[in-house]
Amino acid sequence: NLHEVTVVGHLTLTPPRLSNIYADHMVFQRAPSQPLVWGWGTPGSTITVTVLDSQGSDVTVDAGQAYVGDDEKFEVVIGSYEAGTGFSVTVQEFHQMSGQFLEVTLTDVAFGEVWVCSGQSNMELRVKDARDGAKDVLEAEFYDQLRLIKTVRQIATEPQEEALGFYNSWRKPMQEFLGSGESFSAICLYFGEQLWEDLQVPIGLIESTWGGTIVEAWSPPRALEYCGVTDTGVDSGSNHNEYLW
């Protein structure tokens, strides 16, 4: 349903495109937070949201409405929901000129706790490479309310609107994922398992790590400018302690 195209007269209409962090099996922050989705659509159209529970019942509450601006962007609140799994979130776009509705749906969505795990090599260490990695990979499958996603290690010289990509889409900690390839941060996974033990709610973990990187590389230009940093540290490739604010 992400690529459906509708032709009305001379108009070719496509569903709204959500930013690439939004995908099936993802976790949104639970109540009392009011998470949002954002993306791109047709200027002048109206965006609404419908949330269904695991039984297919409409449980939408406090969802917002948004309009797509001239820059083709929108963001809309999806509402506030208690922790749980099996939800679907449908983002619907109404095209004023054609009178048509087009939509995109996220399935098997959970509401719970969402955490970002970021850092250098200590955080980057993959669970399969940990001391008891093989055992930990097998035991991780018990935590089927964890959902994991990992950003690619890719440099951008200008601020980006969304992540440059992911090694995996949102997924549970299954052996074929954790035991091969890029795997997932061991510290982040262990942290998520402990959170689940304590809270008993779905846990979303976002890994963004890169060993050996300098602090300046993780800092937005506005922060560097505000702190009076003129040497970004790129030339020497070393951290500058006086910049660790």
Side-chain angles (χ1 to χ4, degrees):
N1 58 0
L2 291 176
H3 305 287
E4 178 183 352
V5 175
T6 299
V7 178
V8 179
H10 297 292
L11 297 176
T12 300
L13 306 177
T14 58
R17 182 175 83 79
L18 303 181
S19 180
N20 58 9
I21 190 67
Y22 302 109
D24 295 342
H25 319 302
M26 71 172 296
V27 182
F28 285 102
Q29 185 67 32
R30 61 174 170 163
S33 293
Q34 292 190 314
L36 58 80
V37 294
W38 64 273
W40 296 265
T42 301
S45 60
T46 305
I47 302 292
T48 55
V49 176
T50 302
V51 178
L52 304 182
D53 66 13
S54 58
Q55 304 302 313
S57 300
D58 189 338
V59 294
T60 310
V61 59
D62 297 330
Q65 178 175 291
Y67 296 94
V68 182
D70 291 337
D71 59 0
E72 301 185 351
K73 299 177 183 177
F74 70 85
E75 64 177 46
V76 61
V77 171
I78 68 173
S80 184
Y81 305 91
E82 298 299 327
T85 59
F87 293 86
S88 67
V89 177
T90 297
V91 179
Q92 189 175 63
E93 180 177 10
F94 175 65
H95 293 260
Q96 305 287 348
M97 292 182 60
S98 66
Q100 297 292 309
F101 288 91
L102 293 174
E103 63 187 35
V104 59
T105 298
L106 306 176
T107 61
D108 187 33
V109 168
F111 289 92
E113 293 292 309
V114 182
W115 288 79
V116 176
C117 302
S118 188
Q120 299 176 306
S121 54
N122 287 341
M123 184 65 76
E124 181 183 352
L125 177 68
R126 297 172 294 188
V127 61
K128 70 175 186 176
D129 298 326
R131 182 173 58 187
D132 297 317
K135 174 174 172 287
D136 295 337
V137 165
L138 289 174
E139 292 180 349
E141 292 195 355
F142 169 78
Y143 298 91
D144 64 353
Q145 288 204 31
L146 268 61
R147 313 286 179 89
L148 318 176
I149 192 169
K150 182 174 183 175
T151 62
V152 298
R153 298 182 192 90
Q154 188 170 340
I155 293 173
T157 57
E158 298 292 337
Q160 303 295 301
E161 292 185 323
E162 59 183 346
L164 294 177
F166 302 94
Y167 287 112
N168 64 287
S169 188
W170 290 92
R171 62 185 304 172
K172 297 178 181 181
M174 304 300 291
Q175 180 180 357
E176 64 269 20
F177 166 48
L178 296 179
S180 63
E182 277 294 327
S183 187
F184 198 76
S185 163
I187 294 176
C188 190
L189 178 66
Y190 303 152
F191 173 67
E193 292 174 349
Q194 185 62 59
L195 280 177
W196 185 85
E197 294 282 358
D198 293 343
L199 301 175
Q200 299 286 297
V201 300
I203 305 294
L205 301 173
I206 303 170
E207 180 190 344
S208 178
T209 59
W210 198 329
T213 48
I214 59 176
V215 67
E216 293 87 347
W218 293 89
S219 306
R222 289 180 60 186
L224 295 173
E225 182 180 1
Y226 179 81
C227 294
V229 177
T230 56
D231 174 11
T232 62
V234 173
D235 293 338
S236 65
S238 301
N239 282 304
H240 296 74
N241 291 333
E242 65 270 27
Y243 297 162
L244 297 178
W245 52 86

